[in-house]
Amino acid sequence: MHDNRMENDFLDRSGWQTMLDREQMPDASACIGVLRRNEFVARLGTLLIWYGKAGGIQAAFRDYHGDAGSDLAVLLVADEDAVQTLLARGLTSIPALVRAGRLHPYILKTLDELESAGLADFVEDMGLTFPKH
């Protein structure tokens, strides 16, 4: 069953921009992407991008065909409930969503690359960890 509310909320750029504007996102040179779980599995859909721009973090969309893109540092794969929670509660909800299995983070850059891009602290603050070898 397709949830039109979820579809409309996910594709509402102004809703995401409102959430980003109230959050303290780092000014970063790499992007964070959000993808709905069913589209991640299908390797086809719409990817929400949070990217740094003069004046703050911006929300945008682009087509997803199985490749997140080299500009993405973190990919957050979210189920329907996680999308609603992110929009309503913001980035501080990420750790609980990850623990509950509602949101799956994929770190696409090395720790050094994240530090260079200005996202290492964000990743750590969100409780996203790197494997220690």
Side-chain angles (χ1 to χ4, degrees):
M1 184 164 126
H2 190 68
D3 185 341
N4 285 331
R5 184 197 61 172
M6 160 52 167
E7 178 80 11
N8 293 338
D9 286 349
F10 185 80
L11 296 175
D12 178 16
R13 196 195 72 74
S14 65
W16 288 111
Q17 192 61 56
T18 298
M19 185 275 292
L20 291 171
D21 289 347
R22 73 176 182 254
E23 297 290 326
Q24 296 300 311
M25 287 283 294
D27 184 19
S29 60
C31 304
I32 297 169
V34 181
L35 189 63
R36 292 172 285 190
R37 182 167 296 153
N38 61 331
E39 295 181 350
F40 178 74
V41 171
R43 300 181 62 79
L44 183 66
T46 302
L47 181 63
L48 167 64
I49 306 291
W50 300 334
Y51 67 97
K53 189 176 177 185
I57 301 299
Q58 300 295 307
F61 294 100
R62 70 177 176 221
D63 290 338
Y64 176 75
H65 299 283
D67 180 14
S70 62
D71 59 338
L72 243 64
V74 178
L75 176 63
L76 304 173
V77 177
D79 67 14
E80 292 181 23
D81 292 338
V83 167
Q84 297 302 317
T85 301
L86 278 171
L87 279 165
R89 298 187 190 147
L91 302 176
T92 58
S93 64
I94 289 176
L97 290 169
V98 170
R99 283 191 304 276
R102 311 304 309 203
L103 185 122
H104 295 276
Y106 294 88
I107 310 298
L108 305 177
K109 303 285 185 192
T110 67
L111 183 55
D112 288 343
E113 289 171 321
L114 287 172
E115 285 176 355
S116 296
L119 284 173
D121 287 343
F122 170 80
V123 168
E124 187 176 310
D125 290 348
M126 294 301 109
L128 311 177
T129 58
F130 294 91
K132 303 280 191 248
H133 297 285

